[in-house]
Every structure is written in C-alpha cells, then in structure tokens.
Amino acid sequence: MGTPFQISVNKVCLKHDEDLNFYCSLHDEILCRNCVKMGHQKCSPQISVSEIATKSKTSVSANLESNFKIMTENLKIALDHQRHTLSNMGEKEAEARKQIHNIRIRFNKKLDELEKHLLKTYTEKREPIVSTIKENIVTLEKKEKEIVLIITNTTKIKEFGSDIDYFLAARQVTQKLLDEEDTITATFEKLRGVNAYFTLNSDIEQFVSKLNKIGDVFVEEIPCSINMKSLIGEKKSTEKERQDTPIPEVKKVHVDKDEKGTPGDEGDIFKLKFVLKTKFEMTKGFLKKDLRICNGTIMKDQIVFTDRENKRFIITTLTGEHLNNMEVTGRPWGIAKIDESRLVVVTFPYVGSGYIEILDIMNNKVEKPISIGGLCRGIAYYEGLIYVVVYGKGISIVDLEGDVKTEIPINVNGVFHLTVNANRMYYTDEWTHTLHCCDLKGKEIWRFSGERVREPQGIATDENGNVYVTSYLFDNVTVISPDGKQHREILNKFDGLLGPSSIYYDNKKKYLMVSSREHGRVSIFHVLI
C-alpha cells in the first residue's frame, strides 16, 4: 500500500539550491536562475513567479478543483467496474454451471431415448417366440390330460375286468397311442429354446473409452473498455524534450485509445447516439424447452425470431408481447426480409444437405423451397438476389426462382452471419475473430479485428454504411466506419447485453435490435444519426 501523500510547499530548486523565482510559460515549469541559464535561455518571455501567481490564482484554483473532481470520478469508475466485474463472475459461473448441467441432461435424455428404443425392439422380437411357446404349452397340456385319463381307465380295467377285457383294452390303447405319436412328434418339432443377449455398439465403446472430459472451462482476464479522463495540465518534460521542442504552436488532437480515428470526420461514428427504446426477455408463453434464438428481423410492427431448438418462428410485438409461434419441420437459422409485408427467406442447415425456403410468414405458408446442396446458415437478401453461406463452397448467390447465379469460393468454415448493403457484402468469421468487407464479387475491400471484438457474430449496416457487429465473448456491440478505419464500442454489459449473437438494423425506424441466442434477451435502441 502506498504512502499517504503529504503536501509540502518547496520554494527552493532541489537541483541548484536557489530560490524558484521564474516561470517558463513555454514548458510550464518553475525555475531558478541557474535553470534559466542551463536550459531555458531561448524561452521567452520569462515571468517572475510572484507575477504569474497573482495573475493565475483563480485559474490555478479552478484547474486544481477540476483535477480533484476528475481524479475522484476516475477512481469511482474504476472501483465500480471492478466491483461489477467481481459480481459478474458469479453470473458467469452460474451460466457455465447451467451449460454443463444442460449437457448432462442432454446426455441422459439421449440415453433414455436409446434405452427405450432398445427395449421396444427386444419386446417386438420376443413376442412371436412367446406366442409360439404358449401355443405349445396349451397343446402339450391337453395331450397330457388325455394320456392321464387313458392310464386311469386302463388301470381300472386291469384291476376289475376280465383278462379278455384287459387284452382288448390294451390293444385299443396301444393303437390310440400310436395314432397320437405323430401329433406329439409334430409338437416336439415346434419346441424352441430362447437365447436373449445384448451387444454394445462399438462406436459407443470407443466414445466412452476416449471421452475424458465434456469440455473446457476458461477464466481469463480481458482488457476493460473504460477510459480515464485526462487531468488538466501537462506532465513535466525532460531536458532533451525541452531542447527538441519547437517554438511554433502545434495543434493537438486527442484520440481515444479504443476509438481509432479523428472525431469530427464526415460520417463520424462518434456522433452516433443510442437511446434504449425497449428491452424484454422471452419467458412465459415462449418456452417449450431451451430457446436458441439464432436471428431476427422486424416486419412492420412485429418481430420474427428463428428458434432453432424448438423448430419454430416466434412472432412478437416491438415491445415483446408474444403474438404467435409458427412451427416448421426443420431447424431454422438465418432469416432475411424480402419485403415489408410477409415474405422472408430462411436457412435450414440441419436437414439433409441443407436448404432454404421463401416463406409467407404472416400466412404460415411455404412459397418456394430451394435446395442448396450444402450446410447453410448465414443469409441475406439484396436487390432480388439471395446471398447464402454454404459450407465447402463459399457464398452462393441465388435468385428467387432458386437458380444459382454464381458462387464465391471463399473459406467459410467459421462464418455464420452475413449481410449485404449498398453493393457491399459483409461477413464475420468467429474462428479468426475478423469482420470482412467485400464487393459483390467477393473481392476484399477491407477487414477488421479488434481487442474487444472476439467471436464476432451478428452483423448489420445502416443507411450511412456504418457496420454494427456483436461480440459474443465480450458482451458488446461495436460500430465500424464505412472505410473500416474507425471503430467504437457503443453497447456492452452495462447496457444489459449478455451473450449477444444476432443484430438487426431497421432503416425506416432507425432501430438497432440486439438479441441473445441462449438467454432470450432482446434490446431495441433508437439510433440518432
């Protein structure tokens, strides 16, 4: 712990042991006579300390009070941030525990399903054999009763009848037994033993033997996005810096560490303001089981979300009131609006080799299914053409009739989101933590990566060409200028974001909508441009 700061007024130069009588306005330093001779002869005019003290008393006092206030605010911001971070660690741990628990539930559920199927198969195979055995038992029991009756009657004739009666009876019984022999022989041939056993799937055996963990847990320090306010005044310069300092005045421009570029440029992203319009969390009326909100779009005064886990679309008002669920056969991922009234195009990456559908979302009707021939997720619509990410191929461009116009062969292994606007195509690569800007032929114009943009996911653009991208890892949204040279973190966890995955910008309403995949959180901001 540092030593408490003690204030002592020093009027003597520590270097030359002479009174501090002069002030250099160029370097903002208090000097003694020898200091002036040794390093400040070219600096003019020299002002006496008493004169500058009298003239600047008011401004010095004001600056000092401002610096006290700024320093206090900086400490408060840092303390609040660290206290919030400490509290947030509990939320992160709870989320990690929930994810681990959910994996266990999924494993158990799958094992229950497999066990149920296996036992059902056993029952189906057992029933015909059991039925045959029961028939044999009925036949044998009947014959057994007949034989017992014959034996009883024959015994009575032997004991109480004449020798002739017994002789004749014995011959008749013998013939009866010979006649029944064929029937009993046929029954014997139907007799079957049963051998029931179980063999383990070799894939499961290998899986269990190789499985030594269900995942990894990371707890790591990350850079924070808060910025210190600068105190009024300048740090004392070195002697070399004083000698190298040019006399003419130099204009200074302050550029924030996290906001690259010069504020005040045309189309400045630093002038953008974001006012929270509404926020809601999908809970009652929404859940069948865990939500997986992959993407969303605004149509008139409604929002349409793709819920991958529950194979449906969720339709709400702009304030989050639940209106309807539209069930579908596949697991929807990406969604792009074709018109304002009803039509959207959606990717279904989990059925067969992947396909897309043009849907009348308001009337729950499939207008046209289109086979893509590969696993597909990210999708965009622009001027009559559909742009879709197809794994193993790149980005396919398809018309509304389903005809492939062209394919752009780029590596899309880590690409899950894209958008197209103003003759430019943008996509995020989660694996390389980059945002790419290309022309419509796939030629790269610029790419962007930043310390606070890790695992970039959802992407959107506004009418000025500004690009908005979500960072799932850092719980934030960053805006990038149209030329890719400036960027600014505009929203983060302090604005209520948690694991933001998708983002959508409505040009007419000037709304920026951010949603979370696992948590069902939705925030809509009014963008003031």
Side-chain angles (χ1 to χ4, degrees), residues 73 128 139 188 201 219 245 277 290 336 342 369 417 423 433 440 464:
E73 289 177 354
T139 301
F188 265 73
N201 187 329
V219 180
T245 301
K277 185 75 175 176
D290 290 343
R342 60 189 182 89
H417 300 265
N423 293 320
H433 310 289
L440 298 186
N464 292 328

Side-chain angles (χ1 to χ4, degrees), residues 19 37 55 80 94 103 130 229 271 290 316 385 395 403 422:
D19 291 341
K37 291 180 180 179
K55 291 181 178 180
D80 288 346
I103 289 294
V130 170
K229 295 181 180 179
K271 295 180 180 178
D290 290 343
T316 74
L385 294 175
I395 296 177
D403 296 326

Side-chain angles (χ1 to χ4, degrees), residues 50-51 54 64 127 130 134 164 195 258 273 277 370 403 414 420 426 438 454 456 499:
S50 59
E51 181 181 354
T54 302
L64 188 59
E127 285 306 315
V130 170
K134 287 181 178 179
I164 295 174
N195 182 21
D258 189 48
K273 294 183 179 180
K277 185 75 175 176
I370 301 173
D403 296 326
V420 181
Y426 306 86
C438 309
R454 307 293 288 176

